[in-house]
Amino acid sequence: MIPDMQKKLDGVIEFLGRNYLKTEKEILGVEEKEFFDLILDDILKDERLMEIWSSFSADLDHGPRDILNLWGLSVHQIILDTVSKIDAKNSQLLTDVDGNPIPMDRSKINVPYIRVG
């Protein structure tokens, strides 16, 4: 278990939004190709993330699976938030012949694998 997990999760989501997943196109591209590359040096050099998660290197040494799971959860959360916003926006545009909104069916969302290099 990762101590202060919610704080670290929020920090990772913020990091990804600043550095890797800045646009809807980038986010949906990750979902589509089903994998996501991270550069470890980018993570370690990010002052804001290291301020939030100062024990990152030690945590990575002691529990790499937990760390990758947290990063995977972060990417998944970003994808879900983005898809939900798109669906909400589109549901306002799609109506049946009587003008009633047509609900969007998003029963499957791909969760990407994370590769760290």
Side-chain angles (χ1 to χ4, degrees), residues 28 31 79 83-84 86-87 104-110:
L28 296 176
E31 181 200 9
I79 291 170
V83 167
S84 294
I86 291 169
D87 286 351
M104 300 294 289
D105 179 20
R106 196 72 152 107
S107 57
K108 180 183 176 204
I109 294 176
N110 293 323

Side-chain angles (χ1 to χ4, degrees), residues 25-89:
K25 183 178 180 179
E26 290 171 327
I27 294 165
L28 296 176
V30 168
E31 181 200 9
E32 191 173 297
K33 65 183 178 182
E34 299 181 2
F35 69 89
F36 183 70
D37 289 320
L38 284 172
I39 308 298
L40 186 56
D41 283 345
D42 291 348
I43 297 168
L44 297 173
K45 290 178 182 175
D46 190 86
E47 292 178 13
R48 176 72 180 127
L49 182 60
M50 291 302 106
E51 181 182 305
I52 293 168
W53 194 346
S54 58
S55 63
F56 178 80
S57 293
D59 291 347
L60 187 59
D61 287 342
H62 294 104
R65 179 174 289 144
D66 291 338
I67 303 306
L68 285 173
N69 285 338
L70 186 134
W71 282 80
L73 177 61
S74 300
V75 173
H76 183 71
Q77 186 64 52
I78 291 169
I79 291 170
L80 281 175
D81 289 348
T82 301
V83 167
S84 294
K85 288 176 189 172
I86 291 169
D87 286 351
K89 183 172 44 175

Side-chain angles (χ1 to χ4, degrees), residues 82-98:
T82 301
V83 167
S84 294
K85 288 176 189 172
I86 291 169
D87 286 351
K89 183 172 44 175
N90 288 339
S91 70
Q92 295 171 1
L93 302 174
L94 299 175
T95 58
D96 63 19
V97 292
D98 296 324

